[in-house]
């Protein structure tokens, strides 16, 4: 079945440094790749997404890159701040059925002041 | 709009008991899904629905039943609870439109089975 692998499982950076989280997916028909942030005790919330017809997307300090050939996509956070500390999840699905999101295992990001 | 709502927030069951987790959305979304979240394992898809009357299995469907009689509601039934079903359960919904594919999550139900 479909599978999404996410690395690393934990990531600790100093405030102001960059953080990179990587994911690979198995279903070559996947064409929508969202990233969710989950703070402790809260629900996951979408922070950025990318569609398969785009190689890169930026939103202020957050960017996502997609390599369809390698079935690989990454989240980049620049100038990290303590409030970026959370668990981040990547996911993959087909736009024709976004109810069937397959998630990675999650990355716990800690930003040290 | 209330978005996606779930009840109850917390529940403790004994092994073998049954219960229904409720989920409702007021965004007229076609797609609805149930996930369970366990430490270190991310969010795993239990069941999902592409519209009223249509449901399908996800990654971990065993021990759970769903039905979708209306667009708004998507309840999850545990037929005979087991300790392995102790988890946080999230319901989510999304639109079939092309403007946004975002899945919106409910606040979650924390279930403990003893």
């Amino acid at each position: 079945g479909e599978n999404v692998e996410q690395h690393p499982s934990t990531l600790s950076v100093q405030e102001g440094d960059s953080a990179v989280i990587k994911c690979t997916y198995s279903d070559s028909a996947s064409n929508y790749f969202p990233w969710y942030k989950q703070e402790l005790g809260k629900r996951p919330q979408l922070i950025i997404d990318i569609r398969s017809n785009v190689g890169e997307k930026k939103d202020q300090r957050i960017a996502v890159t997609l390599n369809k050939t390698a079935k690989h996509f990454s989240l980049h956070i620049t100038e990290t701040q303590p409030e970026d500390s959370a668990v981040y999840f990547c996911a993959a699905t087909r736009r024709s059925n976004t109810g069937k999101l397959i998630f990675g295992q999650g990355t716990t990001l800690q930003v040290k002041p | 709009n209330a978005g996606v709502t779930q009840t109850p927030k917390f529940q403790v069951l004994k092994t073998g008991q049954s219960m229904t987790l409720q989920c409702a959305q007021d965004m007229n979304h076609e797609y609805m899904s149930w996930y369970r979240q366990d430490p270190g394992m991310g969010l795993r898809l239990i069941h999902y629905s592409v519209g009223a009357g249509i449901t399908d299995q996800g990654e971990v469907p065993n021990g759970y039943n769903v039905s979708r009689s209306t667009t708004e509601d998507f309840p999850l039934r545990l037929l005979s609870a087991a300790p392995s079903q102790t988890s946080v359960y999230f319901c989510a919904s999304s639109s079939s439109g092309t403007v946004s594919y975002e899945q919106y999550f409910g606040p979650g139900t924390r279930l403990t089975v003893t």
Side-chain angles (χ1 to χ4, degrees):
Chain A
E2 297 95 330
N3 188 46
V4 176
E5 295 287 334
Q6 183 173 344
H7 299 280
S9 55
T10 59
L11 181 58
S12 182
V13 299
Q14 287 295 133
E15 182 177 359
D17 287 351
S18 294
V20 180
I21 302 170
K22 299 182 179 183
C23 291
T24 58
Y25 61 98
S26 63
D27 182 6
S28 56
S30 293
N31 55 14
Y32 174 64
F33 308 92
W35 286 86
Y36 283 82
K37 176 183 180 182
Q38 186 180 31
E39 296 175 346
L40 192 62
K42 302 273 184 72
R43 71 190 81 185
Q45 295 206 296
L46 182 75
I47 55 171
I48 194 167
D49 56 13
I50 192 167
R51 305 178 186 189
S52 58
N53 56 345
V54 174
E56 183 176 0
K57 183 178 178 181
K58 275 187 179 179
D59 183 2
Q60 299 183 339
R61 297 186 296 108
I62 295 173
V64 57
T65 59
L66 171 65
N67 183 329
K68 280 191 65 181
T69 304
K71 292 193 282 188
H72 172 272
F73 58 113
S74 301
L75 178 72
H76 304 252
I77 306 174
T78 59
E79 302 171 20
T80 53
Q81 301 166 2
E83 51 265 38
D84 293 331
S85 296
V87 180
Y88 291 81
F89 293 98
C90 63
T93 189
R94 305 179 191 188
R95 295 201 295 267
S96 58
N97 185 4
T98 55
K100 194 180 176 186
L101 264 186
I102 302 300
F103 282 86
Q105 296 87 345
T107 296
T108 300
L109 174 63
Q110 181 187 29
V111 181
K112 298 179 193 173
Chain B
N1 284 357
V4 181
T5 58
Q6 292 182 238
T7 55
K9 284 191 169 61
F10 302 94
Q11 183 71 49
V12 179
L13 288 179
K14 292 189 189 315
T15 297
Q17 287 184 319
S18 63
M19 80 158 294
T20 300
L21 279 62
Q22 301 292 344
C23 174
Q25 53 93 8
D26 62 359
M27 297 175 281
N28 203 31
H29 283 169
E30 293 80 4
Y31 303 134
M32 295 187 75
S33 311
W34 276 103
Y35 298 89
R36 59 176 290 172
Q37 183 171 30
D38 303 294
M41 303 191 73
L43 293 138
R44 292 184 291 169
L45 182 64
I46 304 171
H47 286 286
Y48 64 99
S49 169
V50 300
I54 307 170
T55 64
D56 204 349
Q57 297 182 348
E59 301 168 276
V60 288
N62 293 342
Y64 307 95
N65 273 4
V66 292
S67 61
R68 184 130 177 243
S69 55
T70 67
T71 300
E72 294 79 20
D73 301 298
F74 191 42
L76 178 72
R77 295 184 195 82
L78 281 71
L79 305 175
S80 178
S84 60
Q85 293 178 305
T86 293
S87 188
V88 179
Y89 291 85
F90 287 99
C91 179
S93 74
S94 56
S95 169
S96 65
T98 58
V99 174
S100 170
Y101 301 105
E102 179 178 356
Q103 266 208 341
Y104 294 85
F105 282 79
T109 294
R110 186 174 293 274
L111 176 68
T112 302
V113 183
T114 61

